[in-house]
Amino acid sequence: MKRLKWPSWMPIDPYILLLLGTVGLAALLPARGTGADVASGASTAAIAFLFFLYGARLSTREALAGLKHWRLHATVLACTFVVFPLLGLAARGLEPVFLTHDLYIGLLFLTLVPSTIQSSIAFTSMARGNVPAAICAGSFSSLVGIVVTPLLAATLLGSTGGGFSLDSLLEIVLQLLVPFLAGQLLRRWIGTFVTRHKKVLGLVDRGSILLVVYTAFSEGMVEGIWHQVGPARLGGLLVVEGVLLAVMLALTWYGGKALGFDREDRITIQFAGSKKSLAAGLPMASVLFGAQASLAVLPLMLFHQMQLMVCAVIAKRRSQDPVTADPVVTGQDAGGPSRVTAGTATCHR
């Protein structure tokens, strides 16, 4: 039998349908009592295992080499943890006309979350950008976000942020950073195995996120918080997020050009600097917001779907661009070594 393939003309990732189906399942059959405790423990373990795999996949040598291309990574981090939050703060003026207070808090939280890893790499590769730099940019963003996102949440969300404390920061570090470092330490022995079975382990990635989504939305259903969101509010949220994504896509592309980056690096900056991670955002929201996590992550889930659809279209168009020879960028100008050939590309080039 032939495998059914998702139509290439349809920009919706089938995984998005699985996410929506998981939300529907949580609405119809939410986990309660002992089942909720089991689902919560399983989701915590799944996310920890996910970040363990991230650590096992990333070459320590490439990560250290990537630091030499510091201007690109500093630009991505600035977009993720400075420009995004500033736009989130600016959106406060839309409350309460377009957004309820709770939806605005969720929108602001979304702007604090680190960038993605896998989708940034996939879109950068499709658009013929700097793939090694995308690997490092996404990984660096996730690591920095483990500490920076909770601190930004404590500063910008205050008491409405779900009760940030040093205990919550420690819980996030234990759930995300410690498994990542464990993966790095064990990479010498399991790195080849993880690389060889990356397709199978990719199912673990997506399955982990689905489990966390089910757990968070089940808790929201049990707490009865969904009556706070109506169709008009959801429509307003989608419009706001569409504008937010468009602004970031424009800033990362044209800002990269103004900073003197070549086409390959600008592609990396655009895809790594304009997206937000569900894998990192969901467990952080569960810790920071507790029972309100399902409403807090709703803007992140919608933005995640939107960014995948839009970036898929952009990446496909970029792949059809005629590639012209860019002038060689010197190490002094680019913040790192000069261009090397594809066969010897490392994380910085």
Side-chain angles (χ1 to χ4, degrees), residues 10 23 49 75 87 91 124 139 147 158 166 174 201 209 221 290-291 304 325 344:
M10 190 172 294
V23 173
F49 184 57
T75 301
L87 292 176
T124 299
S139 301
V147 175
L166 290 178
L174 289 175
L201 295 176
I209 296 175
M221 289 299 300
H304 183 266
T344 58

Side-chain angles (χ1 to χ4, degrees), residues 95-157:
E95 180 190 348
V97 178
F98 283 92
L99 303 172
T100 64
H101 178 68
D102 289 332
L103 287 180
Y104 169 71
I105 292 299
L107 179 71
L108 183 56
F109 173 72
L110 127 73
T111 66
L112 311 180
V113 171
S115 179
T116 62
I117 298 179
Q118 290 184 330
S119 61
S120 294
I121 297 169
F123 290 135
T124 299
S125 176
M126 185 188 304
R128 295 179 301 173
N130 189 339
V131 175
I135 295 173
C136 291
S139 301
F140 292 160
S141 179
S142 294
L143 290 175
V144 171
I146 291 173
V147 175
V148 171
T149 296
L151 293 178
L152 286 175
T155 303
L156 301 181
L157 300 180

Side-chain angles (χ1 to χ4, degrees), residues 12-43:
I12 301 178
D13 189 328
Y15 184 61
I16 297 301
L17 300 181
L18 289 177
L19 283 171
L20 296 177
T22 302
V23 173
L25 179 63
L28 295 174
L29 299 171
R32 301 174 183 271
T34 303
D37 294 336
V38 172
S40 178
S43 64

Side-chain angles (χ1 to χ4, degrees), residues 178-303:
V178 171
F180 183 93
L181 295 178
Q184 281 281 284
L185 291 174
L186 295 177
R187 174 179 166 77
R188 176 180 177 182
W189 295 279
I190 67 174
T192 303
F193 175 85
V194 170
T195 302
R196 187 185 307 127
H197 297 84
K198 61 181 180 181
K199 290 185 178 180
V200 176
L201 295 176
L203 298 177
V204 176
D205 292 2
R206 297 194 163 199
S208 300
I209 296 175
L210 291 176
L211 183 57
V212 175
V213 168
Y214 175 75
T215 303
F217 277 80
S218 290
E219 191 169 2
M221 289 299 300
V222 172
E223 295 293 329
I225 66 172
W226 284 106
H227 67 277
Q228 305 175 30
V229 183
R233 294 296 188 184
L234 284 178
L237 176 62
L238 286 173
V239 171
V240 172
E241 292 193 335
V243 173
L244 175 63
L245 179 59
V247 169
M248 287 305 303
L249 287 171
L251 284 176
T252 50
W253 182 250
Y254 293 106
K257 182 177 182 180
L259 292 173
F261 290 102
D262 63 22
R263 177 188 179 276
E264 292 183 359
D265 286 347
R266 289 169 64 196
I267 289 173
T268 300
I269 292 170
Q270 183 175 54
F271 289 130
S274 65
K275 296 206 298 304
K276 293 294 183 175
S277 172
L278 261 183
L282 287 175
M284 290 182 184
S286 298
V287 173
L288 296 174
F289 293 94
Q292 299 295 318
S294 59
L295 193 57
V297 300
L298 178 62
L300 177 59
M301 285 189 58
L302 294 177
F303 189 83

Side-chain angles (χ1 to χ4, degrees), residues 9-98:
W9 52 265
M10 190 172 294
I12 301 178
D13 189 328
Y15 184 61
I16 297 301
L17 300 181
L18 289 177
L19 283 171
L20 296 177
T22 302
V23 173
L25 179 63
L28 295 174
L29 299 171
R32 301 174 183 271
T34 303
D37 294 336
V38 172
S40 178
S43 64
T44 299
I47 290 295
F49 184 57
L50 173 60
F51 274 77
F52 173 80
L53 292 178
Y54 284 163
R57 290 172 184 169
L58 178 63
S59 168
T60 305
R61 180 180 300 175
E62 290 187 348
L64 294 176
L67 295 176
K68 297 178 182 178
H69 199 18
W70 61 269
R71 286 183 68 242
L72 184 147
H73 301 305
T75 301
V76 171
L77 291 176
C79 291
T80 303
F81 297 115
V82 178
V83 179
F84 252 119
L86 289 176
L87 292 176
L89 290 174
R92 186 182 296 274
L94 302 176
E95 180 190 348
V97 178
F98 283 92

